[in-house]
Amino acid sequence: MSKNSKRSKLQSEAYTFEMEECKITPKIERQTSAEYASNMDTAQYVTLDNVPSNQINAGHGVLAQTCKKHICSGMSLWAKTQLLPPEYLKQIETIYATKFPIEVRHYFAEWIEEQPWSQVDETNSQHEQYAVTLLVSLLQLIQQKSDELPTTGDYFLLKLRFQNVIDQLRETYEPSPLAFVKTVKSCLTLEESLVNQAENPSLVIEDPTVQQLATNKQISKDIDTLQTWTSVTDTEIKQLQDKQEALIIHWKNSPNITAQLGNALNQLQQKLEFAKTQIQQWQQGGDNQHELEKLRNEKEELMNKEKEISAQQKNVQTELSAKAQEVMELRSTLLNKYKKSFLFLEDVQKKVIDVELIAWKRKQQLSGNGAPIEEKLLDRLQSWSESLAEIIWKSRQQILQFEVLRTRLPLNTSTENQSDILPDLNQKITALLSSLVTSTFVVEHQPPQVLKKESRFTAKIRLLVGGKLNIHMNPPTVKASIISEEQARGLLKSDVTAKDADSGDILNKEGTMEYHDGKGELSIQFRNMQLKKIKRADKKGTEAVTEEKFCILFQSDFQLGINGELMFQVWTLSLPVVVTVHGNQECNALATVLWDNQFAEPVIISSFQKNGRTPFQVPSQVSWTLMSQLLNTKFQAVTGKGLSPENLNYLASKVFGGNNKTDEYSNHNINWSLFNKDTLPGRSFTFWEWFYAVMRLTKDHLKSLWCDKTIIGFVSKQQAQEWLQMRPVGTFLCRFSDSELGGVTIAWSAEDPKSPGERQVWNLAPYGTKEINIRTLADRIKDLPQLTHLFPDIPKDQAFSKYYTTDTLPDIKDPEGYIKTHLINTLTTPGAAPMNYDNPSTPQAIYNGPDSPASIYSQPISTPGSNVTSTNNNLMDLGAIAEANEDDMLDAFISLDYNADNLNDMSLMEILPSMMANN
């Protein structure tokens, strides 16, 4: 859909909001089955389900009590925000500068605070219509405000700004309206936290987003301080150079000056002796008092000049000593400043590299399981890293310059010799630079963690300091290789030979980094890598090939400084990857990857610090609380809606046994065997295999139904029976099958055909991917008149009609002369098997014509209009074997315990009997 057509669609769904006073009227809504299941004793409450989009307004009485607490409390949130102290206002500016135009927050504060943001679930795709309505309404208000403004004076610039804001919001949020709701909610939450903190200074804000903003602000402030210090020391070292040069000149000229003054003094002393002799002679003669007085004055003048020249001689030495002392003091002051600056610089770099960068790597690791990650986070880290690189480089250059100046004029004083920290400082500042460069060589976009052999894959590497230090002037080459877990351990132990090791062959594994002026980043995008060969290690006990972990090693080298004075060899590891040869291995491989991503810490790679976990060591067991987070994150990322506490409690009961209604599982631990090694009691599959199959089924076929809460899904047979026995006949619910992988079943309340008047709970045989591909679950529910109300009491057409597909009436004949048919579901008995029976009956299918899909159900072809009974007890004949697909063959192949890497060596004659037995 083009941008214009999207915009037209949005505008067509728009409505005009009414600006009203706060009117809160609790409203009883019809509950969905999933909500009722988790709120059996629910009283009156408010939701947005089934509320028309044109009623999302404060004045229509569907707001929760908390939606307008700021308005109702007398002063709006924005009014309180504007009264914040300057230091808080700067944080407010930071919040809106990166997320939402602050002009919109200001001019439309009342409207923004009146909307039911908390009632819109940004993770639920079914709420997108409400997000669209909110976005379009805001755009209309901004446009209306812009149209009202005159085009003269200061209003002209504001008018232009409003138009830019409209374009910005449309470009950013029209493709994803739910992201708009998420952004506004986040901004309001952060704003409220800052207001609360300002009103209660002793209040400790635990909101991680607020804490992160404070951390970001502090780091930026620290970097600004370091830049100021570096600028000051740069000025002072220039002053030191000027004063030292003046000292050298003075020192070079002092001998000549001293000699000249000495000669002048000697001449004066000779003249003075002559004058003394003349005076004595005139005094003896006693005549001519006038000449005698003249000689006495001349003597006094000569004596004054003698004193003056003597003073000048002393001043030369004094001035030289003073200049030397001044230079020494400047040196000492600068050294102390460099020491202080280095310690502060080291501390800030640890915050950026060892805390924030590692936190980003952890978030990237969790994003592999579906957790959200901020897109601009790495750009912020790059900005900090580049600033630190410039500061370190300038500081290093200043220290080198300082060393040169001291070499030119050594002042061998005891004080300077005792406090000589320059060599150590130079070494440390260089190590700091090395740590920064090696640590900021990162994998921006990870390769797929389930890596299929012979498949193409991509990865992106970025050097965060690549835009500085002139590295981009001669872009380095990056090489990729796949290494084993043991080889990765060797790398972290500084084993230089480990860099040349590999465990497979990768095509298109080398490339040159490119500098992108627009983004200001030095990176390389590997677009067409392909794993051609893999070398596996010997198996460890019962370890399967899908438990063996590898990683992609990316390495490069380059030089910095004049004539390449600094040589850097950088490398980084991808997240663990599991290599597969067939799609059927994806389930177990993904389990290995998820466990590693969720429960392992990222590896710290730095020439300065190489501690961290051993690749790729993970705990053998974790708490159920942590496992719940993993399951919820992954399920929400795949299906669009997460798991409720009731869902998670049911899953815990499936793993540990017990009653999911009464048992508490938070203190339980789950190990790897329970997760994906040991089969569930009475089943042939593990817990993860069951969960994975449910997740895939939901993603591929039931996503809308799950997000709309029409499927409860995670509920036991016993619990479903208890619920349905209390409901009228025809009430049904949809749950995931316990006995089959990737199946959804329908349970409903019906009269017992053997005991009229008595109620029984019946269930249909599970529908899997193949059945739903033939006819959707919603259509199958529509086909069955026995199902009337979705649990607890929603008419089924109200719940499912929007998901029905239109069955076109068959033509009498198609162009080839055949009669067309269509498929529907039917039951051949008043009820199916009760839920506590071992052999539930299967819903029947009606094929109205000779084109029925016999190859799928393996049943005889019917005549037009006949009923065909489906059965699950089919034998695979030779024709069916010939039609067996690759997945069927691999299933049988794996059941024979073949080595999954040697597909070419398998025996077809051994596989076929297994396939026949399994089918």
Side-chain angles (χ1 to χ4, degrees), residues 675-689:
F675 181 65
N676 194 41
K677 291 288 282 186
D678 300 337
T679 58
L680 293 172
R683 308 298 181 199
S684 61
F685 44 80
T686 66
F687 167 77
W688 168 252
E689 288 170 340

Side-chain angles (χ1 to χ4, degrees), residues 766-782:
Y767 298 118
T769 295
K770 292 181 180 180
E771 289 78 19
I772 297 178
N773 274 333
I774 297 172
R775 190 160 179 80
T776 68
L777 179 64
D779 286 339
R780 289 177 181 272
I781 291 173
K782 180 184 69 172

Side-chain angles (χ1 to χ4, degrees), residues 817-836:
Y818 292 105
I819 298 175
K820 292 185 177 181
T821 63
H822 69 279
L823 179 81
I824 62 170
N825 250 15
T826 186
L827 294 174
T828 56
T829 60
M835 295 191 67
N836 54 350

Side-chain angles (χ1 to χ4, degrees), residues 226-282:
L226 285 168
Q227 289 173 333
T228 301
W229 287 5
T230 306
S231 178
V232 169
T233 54
D234 184 60
T235 301
E236 291 183 353
I237 199 168
K238 290 177 181 177
Q239 292 175 352
L240 173 62
Q241 181 176 357
D242 292 341
K243 291 184 180 296
Q244 180 170 309
E245 289 174 351
L247 173 60
I248 292 174
I249 293 173
H250 193 84
W251 177 67
K252 292 288 186 182
N253 293 335
S254 62
N256 294 332
I257 296 173
T258 303
Q260 291 174 3
L261 291 173
N263 292 333
L265 183 60
N266 289 335
Q267 293 176 4
L268 283 173
Q269 288 174 346
Q270 291 175 4
K271 290 180 179 181
L272 184 59
E273 289 298 325
F274 178 76
K276 289 179 179 180
T277 303
Q278 290 288 322
I279 291 172
Q280 290 175 356
Q281 291 176 355
W282 282 102

Side-chain angles (χ1 to χ4, degrees), residues 476-588:
T477 299
V478 180
K479 176 184 176 183
S481 58
I482 187 167
I483 62 174
S484 67
E485 194 171 339
E486 188 64 32
Q487 290 164 342
R489 290 195 188 104
L491 273 176
L492 289 188
K493 293 177 182 178
S494 302
D495 183 359
V496 293
T497 61
K499 293 183 181 180
D500 298 324
D502 64 64
S503 292
D505 296 332
I506 298 178
L507 295 182
N508 305 316
K509 61 183 180 181
E510 290 190 25
T512 301
M513 302 189 84
E514 298 179 359
Y515 183 71
H516 305 274
D517 289 318
K519 299 179 180 179
E521 69 177 44
L522 184 67
S523 61
I524 177 173
Q525 178 85 44
F526 290 97
R527 294 183 176 86
N528 294 293
M529 287 194 290
Q530 186 178 39
L531 181 62
K532 297 296 293 182
K533 183 180 179 182
I534 191 68
K535 303 172 188 175
R536 296 192 182 275
D538 295 334
K539 285 188 177 182
K540 302 174 184 177
T542 60
E543 183 182 82
V545 293
T546 53
E547 295 178 64
E548 185 179 5
K549 290 177 281 190
F550 300 86
C551 65
I552 309 298
L553 166 66
F554 299 94
Q555 52 186 320
S556 180
D557 56 72
F558 50 84
Q559 298 175 338
L560 287 180
I562 302 174
N563 299 323
E565 58 182 295
L566 295 177
M567 181 71 183
F568 291 97
Q569 292 183 338
V570 297
W571 56 270
T572 189
L573 299 175
S574 74
L575 292 174
V577 300
V578 177
V579 178
T580 65
V581 296
H582 192 275
N584 279 19
Q585 294 174 300
E586 180 181 352
C587 172
N588 293 319

Side-chain angles (χ1 to χ4, degrees), residues 23 106 127 167 191 201 236-237 282 353 381 481 498 500 544 553 579 583 593 662 675 698 830 845 865:
K23 299 177 182 178
H106 177 72
H127 281 198
D167 293 338
E191 187 180 326
E236 291 183 353
I237 199 168
W282 282 102
I353 301 303
L381 287 167
S481 58
D500 298 324
L553 166 66
V579 178
V593 166
T662 59
F675 181 65
T698 306

